[in-house]
Structure formats: structure tokens, C-alpha cells
Amino acid sequence: MAIEYQKGTSFLHKLDARTKLLIFVGATVISMIIIDPILMGILFLTLYFLGRQAIDTDLLNNNLKVLVVIFLTFSMFQVLWFTPDDSYFLFYLIPGKNWVPVTVQGIIRGIAVFFRFFSVVLAVHLMLYTTPPVELALTITERGQERKALANIGVTLALGGIFFLNALPIVSGSSVFLGIQNTALQYAVLAVGCLAVAFAVYKVLGRGLPAEMGVALMLGFATVGILSTQTQQITNAQKARGYDVQPKNIIARVKVLTALLIPIFLATLERSQDISIAILSRGFDYNISERTYRREFSFERNDYIVLGMMLFVIVGGLLMDYFGVSSPTEMFILNRLP
């Protein structure tokens, strides 16, 4: 099912397009940092609640339920193969041969993996469902607006803090860092280095992509639904001509696939030529470097609240990992077992 923009006035719809892009990035980072199933479950439920308020529930569920089997498969691999040396053994999946041990840690990590994958995918769905394609393109190509110096400093400090927390184990686990033995000086050098990297990353990412790439991305997002509809129309047309579009024979299926792909490919080429003519006739390729923008994005109070919460969760996850409590649920369960 194609993911198309759905108009609305929900909380997510009112957020800045950049905020929704950063929600996706933040959800991805959080999923890599946090391995606790309850915390990841809370993140998933929060995103799902926001999604229910923004778009039709049936539409959201239909797009997500097709992924349940895939993510359950990933979870099962984690359950079956995650067996650290100090794991709490439960039983063998094949008892006669003592093959495939199942552990408490494996089950907990498997549940966490399920919610981690689903949180990232759900964040992508919510971004695409609640953001017009043109705004998505402008978020990564916008160059016309002036950025305030205070905002630049804040973003650089936030990125530097995340890099610093992520690099802390390097200094803590070694008595000598870059030839420096003094602990305070080690942390100072690490902090300065993280700030320099954060400043460079922000400058590179802040420039944005060329306008041509932005338009290409915008057209790609906008035509996903058109391509899906066109594919269904061609499939129905071939059915009306007597084609069996799902034969059991593999060779016959390849032939049918050719009968479907060729008209889809030709229709796509024809549509792309029409779009390129329309763009060029409007003077898009004239003096692109000096172009201006019809509108400017601006963060509102809700955007700052959401971004602040995402930053808080990311920093909290890094601190939990640094202090050895990355999975409090696992620690709680293991402490209660005999």
C-alpha cells in the first residue's frame, strides 16, 4: 500500500517538517542506543498514539500489519541465537539433541528488537503521512533563510554533547588517551574534539542539498501514490485481457511479469518526460544558485518541546549505557530469578 500525504490538523500535522524528519532520525538513534524492551515499547506506543490522532487508524494498521511477520522473524533470530556466556538458560528448542538453547536474555532482547524495528518504521510512516512532499524536499534543500547565531550555538552544543557521551567509554577504558595521562585534560581534549566534529557536521548538513536533488526527491515522494495506482490499473487491464497475473508456474509468472513491467516502465518514462518539460518551461534551470523561496520554515513551541524530549531520551540512553544499566528490565528480571 502506498504511503501518501494525508491532510489534517493534528498535532503531527502542525509540527515543522524539519521536526518530523528529526523525529525519524531521533527514533533511529534511540533504537540503536536503547535495548530495553519496555522503554522501546513506550517509544512505539507514543508514536502509535500520535499516528492514531493524525491519520485514519485502519490505514495505519493496514500498512503496519504486513510488517509484523518480518519483524517477528527478526525477533525469533534474536531469541534463538542470543546466548551470552552468563545467560540464564530456560530450555532447549530441540530437547533430544540439546540444540538451540533459549535464554531469558534472548527473549528480552527479541522483544526489544521487535519494538526497535517497528519504532523506526512507524516514524517513517508518520513523517510521510503528515508532511507534504514539497515540504520534505525543502527541509533538506532550504538555503534562503537566515539562521540565528544562538540557534547555531545550541545545535552545535547538543550535537557535541551527544558525541561526547558516545565517546566517553574510550577515555574511561584507557589510562592514556592520545598520549595524555591527566584525566581532566583527557576529558577536556575529548570535549573540544567533539565540539569541533559537531560544528563541522552541522555546517555540512546545514548547507543542504542542491535544489535539483530536492526537486527530484519531492517528485519521487509525490509520485509514489501515482505509480501504485497506475500499477493497479495496468494489472486490472491485463486481467481484463485474460491474463492470469498470478500463475503457479514460475516460467509463466516471468512472462506475466514482463507483460506488467513493460507498460509500467513506458508509462513512467512518458510521465517523467512530461514533468521535465513542465519544469523547464517554468524556468527552473535559470540561475538556480540565486533562487529565493516562497516560504520560510520556523520552529514553534511544540517543535522545541518535541526536539527537547528527543534529545533528553537520547542523552538518557547514552548515560544508561555508560553506567551499565542499558537494560533495566533485564536486570530486574534476572535479580528476581533463583
Side-chain angles (χ1 to χ4, degrees):
M1 208 174 210
I3 304 176
E4 300 180 63
Y5 169 64
Q6 306 291 317
K7 293 183 179 180
T9 58
S10 67
F11 177 80
L12 280 177
H13 282 90
K14 295 178 181 178
L15 290 178
D16 190 280
R18 294 168 297 176
T19 302
K20 286 176 275 191
L21 180 62
L22 290 174
I23 288 176
F24 161 62
V25 175
T28 304
V29 173
I30 291 171
S31 298
M32 292 188 294
I33 294 173
I34 298 178
I35 60 175
D36 186 83
I38 292 181
L39 296 179
M40 291 309 305
I42 292 173
L43 174 63
F44 170 77
L45 291 176
T46 302
L47 293 173
Y48 185 75
F49 173 77
L50 293 174
R52 284 175 60 93
Q53 306 301 315
I55 59 178
D56 180 68
T57 305
D58 292 335
L59 178 64
L60 181 62
N61 290 340
N62 289 335
N63 277 277
L64 293 180
K65 69 182 181 181
V66 297
L67 302 171
V68 172
V69 176
I70 298 174
F71 294 155
L72 280 177
T73 303
F74 293 157
S75 300
M76 286 302 300
F77 278 118
Q78 191 75 9
V79 171
L80 298 178
W81 306 117
F82 185 78
T83 54
D85 295 334
D86 58 345
S87 59
Y88 190 95
F89 172 78
L90 291 177
F91 58 88
Y92 286 104
L93 197 64
I94 305 177
K97 298 290 186 179
N98 290 344
W99 289 349
V100 192
V102 177
T103 64
V104 172
Q105 288 90 333
I107 294 175
I108 294 174
R109 296 296 176 90
I111 298 173
V113 165
F114 180 81
F115 284 122
R116 290 165 83 177
F117 278 112
F118 246 124
S119 297
V120 174
V121 172
L122 183 55
V124 175
H125 278 67
L126 297 184
M127 178 183 68
L128 297 178
Y129 274 131
T130 61
T131 312
V134 64
E135 291 189 8
L136 276 178
L138 287 176
T139 56
I140 55 178
T141 58
E142 179 70 49
R143 299 186 184 184
Q145 61 184 17
E146 295 182 359
R147 294 180 173 86
K148 297 180 180 179
L150 188 60
N152 292 337
I153 294 174
V155 174
T156 303
L157 289 176
L159 287 175
I162 293 175
F163 292 155
F164 180 79
L165 291 174
N166 201 34
L168 267 181
I170 300 176
V171 176
S172 303
S174 176
S175 58
V176 179
F177 176 67
L178 297 178
I180 304 172
Q181 296 183 349
N182 184 277
T183 304
L185 189 57
Q186 288 179 355
Y187 285 115
V189 170
L190 180 63
V192 172
C194 289
L195 285 176
V197 173
F199 179 78
V201 170
Y202 178 62
K203 283 296 183 182
V204 172
L205 297 180
R207 293 184 61 187
L209 296 174
E212 298 93 330
M213 294 183 65
V215 171
L217 288 173
M218 179 191 68
L219 292 174
F221 285 127
T223 55
V224 168
I226 298 175
L227 181 60
S228 177
T229 303
Q230 192 173 61
T231 301
Q232 188 61 46
Q233 290 175 347
I234 292 174
T235 302
N236 292 337
Q238 299 292 41
K239 286 181 179 179
R241 293 183 176 93
Y243 272 89
D244 181 9
V245 296
Q246 291 181 335
K248 295 182 179 180
N249 186 287
I250 187 65
I251 299 177
R253 183 167 295 187
V254 172
K255 292 180 179 179
V256 171
L257 189 62
T258 304
L260 293 176
L261 288 180
I262 290 178
I264 292 173
F265 181 70
L266 293 177
T268 303
L269 283 179
E270 184 179 355
R271 185 172 62 252
S272 64
Q273 290 176 348
D274 293 340
I275 291 174
S276 64
I277 292 173
I279 290 176
L280 293 176
S281 65
R282 288 166 173 80
F284 173 77
D285 59 338
Y286 175 74
N287 202 11
I288 294 179
S289 61
E290 299 298 328
R291 66 179 298 149
T292 58
Y293 297 88
R294 182 175 61 86
R295 56 162 296 185
E296 293 184 358
F297 293 113
S298 61
F299 286 128
E300 304 294 339
R301 184 189 65 175
N302 289 339
D303 295 294
Y304 288 112
I305 293 175
V306 171
L307 294 177
M309 293 175 62
M310 295 291 293
L311 181 62
F312 174 79
V313 174
I314 291 174
V315 172
L318 290 172
L319 289 174
M320 289 171 60
D321 183 64
Y322 177 72
F323 289 109
V325 289
S326 56
S327 183
T329 300
E330 181 179 310
M331 297 175 62
F332 176 81
I333 293 176
L334 291 176
N335 289 335
R336 298 294 183 281
L337 292 174

